[in-house]
Amino acid sequence: MSLKEEHAYCCHVEAEPDGKPCYNNIKMYLERWEYPEGITNGQKKSIPRMANCFFLNKEVLYKRTPDLGLLRCVDVSEATKLLEEVHAETCGLHMNGFVLAKKILGAGYYWMTMESDCCKYVQRCHLC
């Protein structure tokens, strides 16, 4: 099926292969100060560096912004709902992927592949 033949509702954030959120390694590191099993030495160096940009409040992980704000990290199902709801709001079909990502950030939400997911979603929606 080509890109033009797909409906916009088929274009959602891709699920993580292991069923855990993409930020799970960072969350585990901040909760227990330990690494997941089977990671490489390079990953052991990058996880603490990345964790500096995040804040864990009980079970909820937040990403710190340069202006000291906090963005709530969401999983695949929440990200999909956000894409659909925010895109269907005021701008409708006139919104591009970068504007959609900016609106979601402005609403206080974040996921690691947000910008590319927003661009893909808008592109497929506009081709319908």
Side-chain angles (χ1 to χ4, degrees), residues 50-110:
M50 289 173 52
N52 285 332
C53 299
F54 292 86
F55 170 73
L56 185 64
N57 184 11
K58 297 181 182 174
E59 291 295 315
V60 181
L61 186 67
Y62 295 93
K63 180 170 180 12
R64 291 186 178 108
T65 62
D67 63 352
L68 303 178
L70 296 174
L71 301 171
R72 185 174 173 271
C73 295
V74 296
D75 62 8
V76 171
S77 63
E78 290 175 297
T80 301
K81 288 177 190 174
L82 284 166
L83 277 172
E84 293 170 352
E85 290 176 12
V86 173
H87 189 258
E89 278 183 8
T90 57
C91 293
L93 296 177
H94 302 293
M95 184 185 308
N96 69 31
F98 299 109
V99 173
L100 179 58
K102 190 172 180 179
K103 284 186 153 290
I104 293 171
L105 286 170
Y109 297 98
Y110 175 81

Side-chain angles (χ1 to χ4, degrees), residues 2 4 10 18 32 34 39 47 64 72 86 88 110 114:
S2 74
K4 287 185 175 185
C10 296
D18 58 1
R32 302 181 215 140
E34 56 187 51
I39 65 170
I47 289 175
R64 291 186 178 108
R72 185 174 173 271
V86 173
Y110 175 81
M114 177 188 292

